[in-house]
Amino acid sequence: MSTAAGTASTLTDSPEARRYNRIRRWLGVADFALSLIFVLVLLVTGWNGTLRDLAMHGAYEHYTLAVFLYVLMLMLIGKVLGLGLEYYGFRVEHRYNLSNQKLRGWLWDEAKGFLVGLALASIVVELLYFIIREFPQNWWLIAWAAFLGLFVLMAQLAPVVLFPIFYKFEPLDNAELKSRLVGLSERAGTRIRGVYKWNLSEKSKKANAALTGLGSTRRIILADTLLEQYSADEIEAVLAHELGHHVHRHILKSIAVQAGVTLVGFWAANWALHYAVERTHWFVTVSDFANLPLLVLVSTLLSFVLLPALNAYSRYNERQADRYAFQSIASVEPFISSMNKLADQNLAERSPARWVEWFFQSHPAIARRVAAAEAWARTQTSRNR
């Protein structure tokens, strides 16, 4: 099977790709179910209150320290419960020859991920319960505004603070390619603060590229696996798609959508907390941090219900970005070949079942993206006759 040529109709998924993606989906479902069961068990058994009491005792009744200890205990228990699934996922990547990472490196990444997650979760939860204590009536509106600010801040800081914790980046030394990509970004109306080589091959055999950051941290990152195996035309086509998100203001629109979803989430959390305090008397006050699992439950269920709609919106944005790429490059052939090569290299499904695409995927199926590019090429050819 050719990886650079072919059409949506001539290239099909291998049984290996089908099996790999089926396993990854079931791992995602199992992880979701495990998390849901965990918070339900905490609430039904009252163990959330027991952990709260342990945290208060360990912190000598100091509320802020007790909140941190509570978050720490919840995350430790959750990590232990989910470690088996995470290790199985690590083994799956090796089984299908998609990973270069050794067990020692994986364990180190798991440790770093836990510490980073603990730091971020502690900041978020401490801020949340500070707002609840200070503004018990309107806490959900104030928290909503504060969390939107945090979301934008993290989007700006992630490329320079978080990503380097897990991956190595270095300025791209290919001056010709760099000039070509910077020119492409300038034509799209965005200023790039740098083009970086992303040393992904230390951990993975997959390929990827992205336009990350906001404002002064906006940068292009290109995986070394992409740089080594793709032509300059193909890399330009991949980046043109990413720039399409900027041209269509998808980041700002996604922030607006997220703002709406988050507002509904905080309203639902406020209703659930007051119901638990005033009707069921599970908690004495809304500022009792033992109710954190209830907030997590509300968030989890809301995310699950909205997932198909959010994925559909994301796929719409991806199709718009693809169309911008078609318009921005000399020929769609490099786009088609890059999609097919990425599908082979990343062992992605070109033609998943419709229900899989509808519920699980934030991007259109690769076969649909290739077909759209072919249709665009035919339209342009007919216009030029």
Side-chain angles (χ1 to χ4, degrees):
M1 180 188 296
S2 170
T3 60
T7 67
S9 59
T10 60
L11 294 178
T12 57
D13 294 321
S14 66
E16 185 181 37
R18 294 285 189 186
R19 286 194 300 270
Y20 170 73
N21 284 279
R22 190 181 306 117
I23 291 172
R24 297 302 310 184
R25 282 194 295 274
W26 277 112
L27 277 173
V29 171
D31 182 66
F32 173 83
L34 184 63
S35 300
L36 188 62
I37 291 170
F38 176 44
V39 294
L40 284 172
V41 168
L42 286 174
L43 292 168
V44 171
T45 62
W47 291 345
N48 57 320
T50 302
L51 292 177
R52 184 258 335 270
D53 295 339
L54 286 173
M56 290 297 290
H57 179 73
Y60 299 101
E61 304 298 321
H62 189 281
Y63 186 91
T64 301
L65 179 57
V67 170
F68 169 76
L69 292 177
Y70 189 70
V71 172
L72 174 60
M73 287 189 289
L74 287 180
M75 290 190 64
L76 279 173
I77 296 170
K79 189 67 176 178
V80 170
L81 291 175
L83 194 59
L85 287 176
E86 292 175 6
Y87 177 70
Y88 182 68
F90 166 74
R91 296 305 306 166
V92 166
E93 295 298 305
H94 278 274
R95 182 193 308 172
Y96 288 90
N97 198 31
L98 294 171
S99 177
N100 294 320
Q101 192 172 35
K102 304 298 183 183
L103 178 60
R104 183 175 179 179
W106 177 78
L107 289 171
W108 177 228
D109 271 358
E110 288 293 304
K112 288 190 293 185
F114 177 81
L115 293 175
V116 170
L118 176 62
L120 294 177
S122 297
I123 292 171
V124 167
V125 176
E126 292 283 8
L127 176 61
L128 174 64
Y129 281 96
F130 170 79
I131 293 173
I132 291 176
R133 293 199 316 274
E134 295 296 320
F135 310 98
Q137 295 302 316
N138 300 310
W139 72 268
W140 60 283
L141 281 173
I142 298 170
W144 169 71
F147 276 55
L148 279 184
L150 281 177
F151 178 79
V152 174
L153 178 64
M154 290 309 303
Q156 187 172 28
L157 294 181
V160 294
V161 177
L162 295 182
F163 295 172
I165 295 175
F166 300 96
Y167 296 98
K168 294 178 182 177
F169 297 88
E170 56 189 74
L172 183 66
D173 57 8
N174 186 330
E176 182 180 352
L177 179 60
K178 179 179 179 180
S179 175
R180 186 171 177 175
L181 298 181
V182 170
L184 183 66
S185 66
E186 289 175 348
R187 292 195 297 275
T190 183
R191 292 188 61 187
I192 300 299
R193 302 297 178 173
V195 182
Y196 290 84
K197 176 183 175 182
W198 171 17
N199 293 315
L200 182 61
S201 64
E202 293 180 352
K203 300 177 182 180
S204 177
K205 295 180 182 179
K206 296 180 179 181
N208 208 342
L211 179 65
T212 65
L214 295 174
S216 61
T217 65
R218 189 187 300 275
R219 57 186 60 192
I220 297 168
I221 59 173
L222 304 169
D224 54 352
T225 48
L226 190 81
L227 292 168
E228 292 166 2
Q229 301 179 46
Y230 292 69
S231 69
D233 287 343
E234 288 171 333
I235 293 173
E236 183 182 46
V238 171
L239 182 63
H241 166 87
E242 298 299 329
L243 289 169
H245 290 302
H246 167 78
V247 170
H248 288 285
R249 301 183 181 278
H250 288 159
I251 294 176
L252 291 177
K253 291 176 182 177
S254 295
I255 290 174
V257 170
Q258 190 62 44
V261 171
T262 306
L263 181 62
V264 173
F266 274 112
W267 172 85
N270 181 61
W271 180 89
L273 283 187
H274 280 282
Y275 186 88
V277 170
E278 298 165 7
R279 299 288 184 88
T280 65
H281 306 293
W282 283 357
F283 313 106
V284 177
T285 66
V286 293
S287 62
D288 180 357
F289 57 82
N291 60 38
L292 180 59
L294 178 60
L295 299 183
V296 173
L297 178 62
V298 171
S299 174
T300 301
L301 293 178
L302 181 64
S303 299
F304 178 79
V305 170
L306 294 178
L307 183 61
L310 293 176
N311 278 344
Y313 175 69
S314 177
R315 290 193 298 271
Y316 172 79
N317 287 345
E318 297 298 330
R319 289 192 293 270
Q320 279 193 327
D322 278 353
R323 286 193 291 273
Y324 175 80
F326 304 158
Q327 297 167 358
S328 304
I329 54 182
S331 167
V332 297
E333 289 305 316
F335 178 89
I336 293 173
S337 62
S338 66
M339 288 294 103
N340 286 325
K341 288 169 74 171
L342 284 168
D344 287 337
Q345 187 171 358
N346 297 350
L347 211 58
E349 285 181 296
R350 288 184 172 86
S351 303
R354 284 298 294 217
W355 71 270
V356 170
E357 185 179 3
W358 178 76
F359 197 83
F360 287 97
Q361 296 192 346
S362 60
H363 286 61
I366 290 175
R368 298 183 192 281
R369 300 177 72 177
V370 170
E374 292 168 348
W376 171 271
R378 289 193 297 270
T379 300
Q380 296 305 110
T381 300
S382 64
R383 286 179 179 175
N384 293 333
R385 287 176 180 172

